[in-house]
Structure formats: C-alpha cells, structure tokens
Amino acid sequence: MIELKNVHKVFKNKYYSTEILTDVSFSVPTGSWTTIVGPSGSGKSTLLNIISGLLPPDSGNVSINGTNIYQLTDPERSELRRKEIGFVFQDFKLLPYYSILDNVILPLYYDRDKKQLYARAEELLNMVGISEALFSRLPEGLSGGEKQRVAIARSLIANPQMLICDEPTGNLDRENRDNIVDILLKLKNQGKTIVLVTHDMEIADRGDEVYRLINGTLTQSEVRV
Ligand code: ADP
Ligand code: ADP
C-alpha cells in the first residue's frame, strides 16, 4: 500500500519559485493498478520521484506499507527502493554495452549467486516473451517493443512488490503498446502493485483507479474513456 498525505512540493532557488504539487493525497492499495494522467509539465514525474523515495516533499507524508519513507535513513531508503520497487521508463534505460541477459541481472549483480540470478533472468525474459536467441544481443539489436519487455524483466529481477512505470508505452506503436499493457495486467493479476503515468487515454482506462494531475492537485477521474 502506497499512501500520500497532503504532499506539497515547490521548486525554488534564488531566482524563482514554482509550486508543482499543492496538496496531493491518495493511496494505492496493494495489488491494484493506479494510473496518473495529466498534461506535460503538470508534475507527474515529480510525483513519481516523490513516491519512489528520490525526492523529499516540502511537507506531507509518503508511506509504503506503513513506513514513512522520508523518515528512513538514506541507506534504508535505498534498500527499500531496491527491494520493493521496480522501475520502467519511456526510454527503456537499458545499458548499451551489456547484453540483454546482463541488463536484466544488473540491478542485483553484486549481491546474488550468479547462476541463480541468470536462471531467474531467463525465466523473466521468457515470461515477457523474449526468445533465447535475443539473450546475447545488445539492446541496439532489438525493436522498441522488445526493449521495453526486457526493461520490464529487469524491473522484476529483485521481485519487487511495486512497479512504477513512467510513460512506458510513450515510444511504442499500438501493437507493442497493447503487448506491454497485457504484460502489466498479467503482473497485476499476480499481485503486483502498479503505478503508471501516461497521457495515452486508452491505457489510462486500464487502471483500477485513474487520477488527473492538474494545477498541482490530483483528482480522481470520473470519466472513464
Ligand atoms: P511531467 O512529468 O508532468 O511532464 P514534471 O514533474 O517533469 O512534469 O515537471 C513539472 C514541472 O516542474 C515542470 O515545469 C518542470 O520544469 C519543473 N521541474 C521539475 N524538476 C525540477 C527541478 N529539479 N527544479 C526546478 N523545476 C523543476
Ligand atoms: P520496430 O518495427 O518495432 O521498430 P525493428 O525494425 O527495429 O522493429 O526490428 C525488427 C526486428 O529486427 C526485431 O525483432 C529485432 O530483433 C530485429 N533487429 C533490429 N535491429 C537489429 C540489429 N541491429 N541486429 C539484429 N537484429 C535486429
């Protein structure tokens, strides 16, 4: 369960100050899919950074499974991120000089038995529909849809409870987009908690809850598209 209470965030320096989040409260029940939509620049990425422990709010509470994450020490918060949260990005963020298989194991490279880790990576790649023939390729040898499937496998390597997806289908055509949505739905049905940011209304509709971020506040979207 992710819970935000009265989250407020201002970006300011000597020259300017801009209020990005005025007063944001919402919760994401474990095992549900929540979508956040909103215009470009409305603060969606800022909100995801706050949820994932990367950006402290100026006021308000952010808790994950009852733990106020900004009361943790930095190492505790990093540990929580590594274990509990998987990340999927619009631009995939695969490392160009590592094979597909190595990209998937990289998040745990230093602390797990390698043989077991590779076995798990292969299992995850199978699950997202990446064939063995692609395992030893570099990311440049894959299509966009394939890259995003690899990125999803990577996000799952530590078996996190939550997946945070920032415009995961923003660079994909319709067919690949639908494929990624199907994989995310499957993961939700396996009990993962999904928070997804998009401006594609067709995917927004797949969420159990849809919120709109406009003018620093989040409102539950009543209109299902
Ligand atoms: P979205 O993801 O909805 O496009 P962002 O969260 O990326 O929106 O950005 C919201 C606004 O906050 C933008 O106007 C952006 O320029 C501003 N912003 C984001 N990060 C910073 C920062 N570190 N310092 C100052 N302004 C920022
Ligand atoms: P898309 O139409 O989704 O952009 P691409 O045209 O990039 O897909 O790729 C189509 C297929 O060709 C994919 O299955 C991919 O694995 C393969 N492919 C693309 N680039 C390379 C490459 N540099 N080396 C080997 N195979 C490649």
Side-chain angles (χ1 to χ4, degrees):
M1 171 93 144
I2 304 166
E3 252 186 313
L4 272 73
K5 280 204 190 118
N6 306 117
V7 165
H8 179 77
K9 183 73 194 176
V10 177
F11 286 117
K12 58 171 172 283
N13 61 28
K14 205 157 70 163
Y15 307 104
Y16 94 138
S17 162
T18 175
E19 186 178 53
I20 301 300
L21 303 175
T22 309
D23 182 5
V24 170
S25 300
F26 75 116
S27 58
V28 181
T30 300
S32 70
W33 174 331
T34 289
T35 301
I36 299 167
V37 296
S40 178
S42 59
K44 302 182 298 297
S45 301
T46 301
L47 185 59
L48 289 186
N49 287 337
I50 289 174
I51 294 173
S52 48
L54 291 172
L55 184 71
D58 295 312
S59 60
N61 276 327
V62 183
S63 68
I64 293 183
N65 299 331
T67 303
N68 184 332
I69 59 172
Y70 291 103
Q71 279 172 1
L72 298 173
T73 62
D74 286 350
E76 283 169 344
R77 196 165 47 251
S78 306
E79 180 78 356
L80 179 133
R81 281 166 47 74
R82 253 163 36 96
K83 287 194 171 156
E84 299 294 335
I85 311 177
F87 295 92
V88 179
F89 305 96
Q90 174 169 4
D91 60 356
F92 324 123
K93 298 201 193 294
L94 299 176
L95 295 179
Y97 304 114
Y98 288 87
S99 72
I100 292 314
L101 198 56
D102 282 339
N103 263 279
V104 175
I105 69 154
L106 271 174
L108 294 182
Y109 190 76
Y110 293 105
D111 56 11
R112 295 283 165 95
D113 167 50
K114 294 294 169 297
K115 209 170 142 195
Q116 215 185 342
L117 200 52
Y118 278 113
R120 162 119 180 109
E122 289 181 10
E123 199 180 292
L124 288 168
L125 285 166
N126 280 327
M127 191 270 291
V128 296
I130 295 292
S131 68
E132 240 169 88
L134 301 182
F135 288 3
S136 58
R137 284 198 194 168
L138 297 179
E140 66 182 12
L142 268 61
S143 73
E146 289 167 334
K147 283 184 206 166
Q148 195 59 301
R149 284 185 271 146
V150 171
I152 291 175
R154 178 191 55 194
S155 78
L156 296 167
I157 191 76
N159 198 21
Q161 216 293 307
M162 295 163 44
L163 282 190
I164 292 194
C165 308
D166 194 351
E167 296 275 7
T169 60
N171 282 336
L172 304 180
D173 60 22
R174 175 175 285 264
E175 187 187 335
N176 280 305
R177 179 193 71 188
D178 292 347
N179 179 263
I180 294 298
V181 168
D182 286 345
I183 293 170
L184 293 176
L185 276 174
K186 188 160 115 186
L187 291 168
K188 190 197 94 145
N189 291 333
Q190 291 170 7
K192 301 286 184 206
T193 307
I194 294 177
V195 180
L196 180 144
V197 155
T198 185
H199 41 238
D200 181 341
M201 291 315 289
E202 283 185 55
I203 327 183
D205 193 34
R206 308 305 285 264
D208 299 313
E209 298 291 347
V210 180
Y211 293 94
R212 282 167 197 277
L213 183 59
I214 296 173
N215 298 329
T217 57
L218 205 57
T219 48
Q220 205 152 2
S221 182
E222 286 167 18
V223 187
R224 289 305 200 98
V225 282

